[in-house]
Amino acid sequence: MESYKKEFIEFMVDSGVLRFGEFILKSGRKSPFFMNAGGYVTGTQLRRLGEYYAKAIHDNYGDDFDVLFGPAYKGIPLSVATTMAYSELYGKEIRYCSNRKEVKNHGDTGILLGSPLKDGDRVVIIEDVTTSGKSIEETFPIVKAQGKVEIRGLMVSLNRMERGKGEKSALTEIQETYGFPANAIVTMAEVVEHLYKKPYKGNIYIDDTLKEAIDRYYKEYGVGGF
């Protein structure tokens, strides 16, 4: 596992973004872990988050894109932070773009924030986590309506590795439905590999009991490695 992935897992734990216990998800599933990207609130956290996203995007998509699109609302700070980090790490100026939930009809009008999308733009979509793929259902037509743009792929922070609407993972469903790759900074399998029975700052975050709960969860809902 790449060192930045290990650092990112620890960063999620330190930030209180990745938690373990018992959580009821929007889907109604009872999960032994929960990720909430809304926990990134400080300047230092957002700077580091942008760096991890930038490294993962560079690993998966290289420099062959022009715009980072972050769907409202959580995708807005993600796209801004990652655009800045990408410039600092790789010396490439990319643009950020996000959508508004409501069309603005005065001043800076329209549905978009940041850079307009234009014909020929190559776009990477950036989100926090995708469980069902519902966000992409809303985002895809907005991006494609702006012109002849190419969506190079989707990047999320954590691949939960569980079924989406059918029997495949949400990221796999997105790739098959829309025809572009979908990747994550880390997978839940990598989280378990890094934290199971391994002390971090004096704590064992995934012990045998929690590992059993995770295994039960993935026996019921998991795909691709669990």
Side-chain angles (χ1 to χ4, degrees), residues 138-149:
E138 300 171 353
T139 302
F140 182 79
I142 292 173
V143 173
K144 297 298 284 186
Q146 306 310 311
K148 296 178 180 179
V149 302

Side-chain angles (χ1 to χ4, degrees), residues 27-40:
S27 63
R29 297 173 183 175
K30 186 182 294 184
S31 174
F33 62 92
F34 183 70
M35 200 215 85
N36 174 26
Y40 300 119

Side-chain angles (χ1 to χ4, degrees), residues 67-78:
V67 183
L68 272 180
F69 187 92
Y73 289 104
K74 288 182 180 178
I76 297 174
L78 294 181

Side-chain angles (χ1 to χ4, degrees), residues 20-21 30-33 160-163 188-193 196-197 206-226:
F20 301 98
K30 186 182 294 184
S31 174
F33 62 92
R160 288 183 59 99
M161 302 180 69
E162 60 188 88
R163 294 198 309 272
M188 196 58 202
E190 289 170 328
V191 171
V192 173
E193 174 190 341
Y196 177 46
K197 296 177 73 171
I206 302 180
D207 57 14
D208 286 332
T209 301
L210 183 59
K211 178 64 163 54
E212 289 174 5
I214 292 172
D215 288 343
R216 286 195 302 271
Y217 184 78
Y218 279 103
K219 187 176 181 180
E220 186 169 1
Y221 301 116
V223 291
F226 271 98

Side-chain angles (χ1 to χ4, degrees), residues 1-10 52 55 194:
M1 190 191 315
E2 294 89 337
S3 60
Y4 78 83
K5 292 189 173 190
K6 296 177 182 179
E7 292 174 8
F8 181 65
I9 292 167
E10 295 169 359
Y52 292 126
K55 290 176 181 178
H194 188 56

Side-chain angles (χ1 to χ4, degrees), residues 176-190:
E176 292 182 352
T177 300
Y178 299 101
F180 55 78
N183 293 285
I185 302 176
V186 294
T187 67
M188 196 58 202
E190 289 170 328

